[in-house]
Amino acid sequence: MRENPPAFPSETNTRFYHGMSLRDYFAGQVAPQVVADIASGALSPEEDGRSVAQVVAENAYILADAMLEHREKSS
């Protein structure tokens, strides 16, 4: 399984707060580009009944997973 550390860990009142996962952070960062790719026609939602939002989310997490994988290989 790919490493998925917290994106913004911090200590508050001696309790460790994990925050959002790095995977979620990466997906959130690339989602606007996925939307732009759909708007420009570089990526088109498939004709299988999925909404644009579903296509954006799926592609954002595919890219996030690839980023985590590359991160592990480079470490």
Side-chain angles (χ1 to χ4, degrees):
M1 171 130 178
R2 157 181 314 103
E3 182 185 351
N4 187 21
F8 304 106
S10 66
E11 281 189 47
T12 57
N13 298 332
T14 68
R15 289 180 26 190
F16 192 76
Y17 174 70
H18 291 283
M20 80 169 42
S21 73
L22 190 55
R23 181 177 188 250
D24 289 340
Y25 177 74
F26 283 164
Q29 294 299 302
V30 299
Q33 183 59 52
V34 176
V35 171
D37 288 348
I38 290 171
S40 73
L43 177 68
S44 58
E46 298 169 353
E47 301 293 328
D48 63 1
R50 291 185 301 157
S51 70
V52 170
Q54 289 169 321
V55 172
V56 169
E58 180 180 312
N59 282 277
Y61 277 101
I62 288 169
L63 288 165
D65 289 341
M67 293 168 76
L68 285 169
E69 184 177 328
H70 181 75
R71 183 177 186 270
E72 280 184 31
K73 288 179 183 177
S74 336
S75 297

